Amino acid sequence: MKIAIAGAGAMGSRIGLMLHQAGNEVILIDRWADHINAIREKGLIGEFEDHEVVAHLPIYSPEEIVEDHANVELVIALTKSMQLEAMFQDIQPIIGEKTFVFCLLNGLGHEETLAKFVPKENIIFGTTTWTAGLAGPGHAKLVGSGSIEMENLDPKGKAFTLKVLEVFQKAKLNPIYSNNVRYSIWKKACINGTLNGLCTILDCNIADFGSLSVAKNLIEAIVGEFAEVAKAEGIRLDQPQVIQAVEATYDIKTQGLHFPSMYQDLIRNHRKTEIDYINGAVWEKGKKHQIETPYCSFLTQLIHGKEELLNAK
Ligand code: NAD
């Protein structure tokens, strides 16, 4: 399959590399000049736990993407949330009538953004438990394993989505066809909407957060707000099950010693966060449905305050 990765940072590099290794024709699209130059000079380095691969993948900035690539069958969106719209504005030339877009970003509200550029029947949504990091430009660090849930937004997109599932299976990306991907997206947003912001503001890892006497109250309050807003949007979250999924991450044998991605972005690298697409999205959607979301609004503003203090870019 001819596949473009729109946003070839940490996760885009992982998915792009694995699809390339399985024999697909993969092109990368990214705006980061040092990353583009490194990949053009030395190839994309994928440092797995027990081996390293170097893939000489073509990489373009969005401005360089022209009709030459109009036969791309699948575009996998993997920018950060706040970068999605600009990316799709720029890559319009490669999005034809038959091009499908698979959105694997974390967060809420991406359906509305993509609908501006792609017909609903050509949109696939998903969530993933794979992770990835960058050691530097052109160098992805790829530890652990994961899986990917996917589902077409419109029944007309099912046949192509099943083809994508097969392609992902061959790439050992452990895909699962979901019957309710919106539920999974909201559930994952709850996990990110609690641990990301709270560990960032409290300056601690997940296990330390979980050991706090206030942890349970905070989690219940935030998940409660997500559940109320999700219900107004037609999704009934099973709150005890979601809270259990959050608490399962406290275990130091699994993710407990990990600092969430928002912590790494903001505290370590002074990068702007995806908060507006997690707690901020619940706050915004809550306003639309006249639902009060004081915890989400407070946490969103605290994170924005921290972004200002750290002059995050
Ligand atoms: P990242 O910052 O490493 O990668 C995003 C890339 O997109 C960057 O290289 C950036 O240069 C590029 N980009 C952004 N806007 C662009 C534009 N307009 N034109 C061209 N290039 C542009 O981020 P990431 O960690 O790979 O995360 C991507 C998404 O996946 C996020 O929604 C994140 O929450 C989600 N996610 C990440 C992980 C992880 O372990 N890293 C795991 C699961 C989900």
Side-chain angles (χ1 to χ4, degrees):
M1 188 174 279
K2 182 159 183 180
I3 301 168
I5 307 287
M11 275 305 273
S13 294
R14 160 164 314 264
I15 307 281
L17 257 178
M18 291 177 76
L19 289 168
H20 163 78
Q21 286 183 300
N24 298 286
E25 190 184 343
V26 175
I27 63 170
L28 308 176
I29 309 170
D30 206 283
R31 170 175 299 300
W32 179 16
D34 291 347
H35 193 52
I36 295 178
N37 293 337
I39 293 174
R40 284 184 181 159
E41 276 168 32
K42 297 191 223 133
L44 173 61
I45 302 166
E47 188 186 331
F48 293 88
E49 268 144 304
D50 49 359
H51 69 290
E52 193 171 288
V53 296
V54 180
H56 292 276
L57 294 175
I59 180 160
Y60 304 92
S61 70
E63 293 74 25
E64 291 169 327
I65 282 289
V66 282
E67 283 78 9
D68 291 2
H69 294 292
N71 56 346
V72 165
E73 294 163 83
L74 179 68
V75 176
I76 304 179
L78 271 167
T79 60
K80 291 281 194 193
S81 298
M82 53 287 193
Q83 304 160 334
L84 183 67
E85 179 142 5
M87 169 65 87
F88 274 79
Q89 256 155 14
D90 289 342
I91 63 167
Q92 278 301 292
I94 64 160
I95 300 184
E97 264 175 42
K98 292 193 182 149
T99 314
F100 270 70
V101 172
F102 182 12
C103 180
L104 265 175
L105 276 68
N106 277 334
L108 303 166
H110 304 318
E111 236 181 279
E112 290 87 339
T113 304
L114 285 179
K116 294 182 198 167
F117 305 99
V118 192
K120 194 175 168 194
E121 53 263 33
N122 288 17
I123 300 179
I124 305 169
F125 259 85
T127 62
T128 179
T129 58
W130 287 99
T131 60
L134 286 174
H139 186 163
K141 283 197 97 159
L142 308 171
V143 294
S145 181
S147 61
I148 294 182
E149 270 190 47
M150 61 176 83
E151 189 189 11
N152 38 291
L153 281 191
D154 184 281
K156 285 193 206 122
K158 182 156 184 184
F160 188 82
T161 306
L162 293 177
K163 246 168 99 176
V164 175
L165 194 87
E166 212 181 302
V167 165
F168 274 55
Q169 249 153 13
K170 286 195 182 130
K172 302 193 169 55
L173 280 158
N174 306 330
I176 303 155
Y177 186 78
S178 169
N179 288 316
N180 196 350
V181 80
R182 284 191 179 98
Y183 186 95
S184 304
I185 288 169
W186 272 90
K187 183 175 168 191
K188 189 158 189 213
C190 284
I191 297 173
N192 289 325
T194 45
L195 300 176
N196 268 307
L198 293 171
C199 289
T200 303
I201 291 302
L202 292 166
D203 197 359
C204 63
N205 68 24
I206 295 174
D208 286 342
F209 170 75
S211 70
L212 300 178
S213 57
V214 293
K216 185 120 197 147
N217 271 347
L218 289 171
I219 298 296
E220 283 178 355
I222 293 174
V223 171
E225 290 183 3
F226 271 68
E228 227 190 308
V229 174
K231 190 169 150 204
E233 303 252 314
I235 291 132
R236 286 183 177 271
L237 287 176
D238 177 341
Q239 288 188 62
Q241 186 215 42
V242 172
I243 290 166
Q244 210 176 36
V246 174
E247 291 177 342
T249 65
Y250 301 164
D251 189 343
I252 57 166
K253 287 191 233 76
T254 55
Q255 295 173 65
L257 297 176
H258 180 78
F259 286 82
S261 59
M262 187 175 288
Y263 182 97
Q264 297 184 38
D265 281 340
L266 181 54
I267 307 297
R268 296 208 172 128
N269 298 313
H270 299 186
R271 289 180 71 189
K272 285 210 166 149
T273 71
E274 294 183 298
I275 196 76
D276 285 339
Y277 299 84
I278 312 172
N279 305 78
V282 171
W283 179 20
E284 276 307 312
K285 285 175 187 290
K287 281 188 214 159
K288 197 175 86 193
H289 298 293
Q290 273 117 43
I291 297 169
E292 297 278 333
T293 57
Y295 280 85
C296 283
S297 114
F298 188 56
L299 192 51
T300 303
Q301 293 176 80
L302 283 180
I303 293 290
H304 283 317
K306 195 75 182 165
E307 286 173 342
E308 271 184 51
L309 283 173
L310 294 176
N311 196 17
K313 300 274 181 275

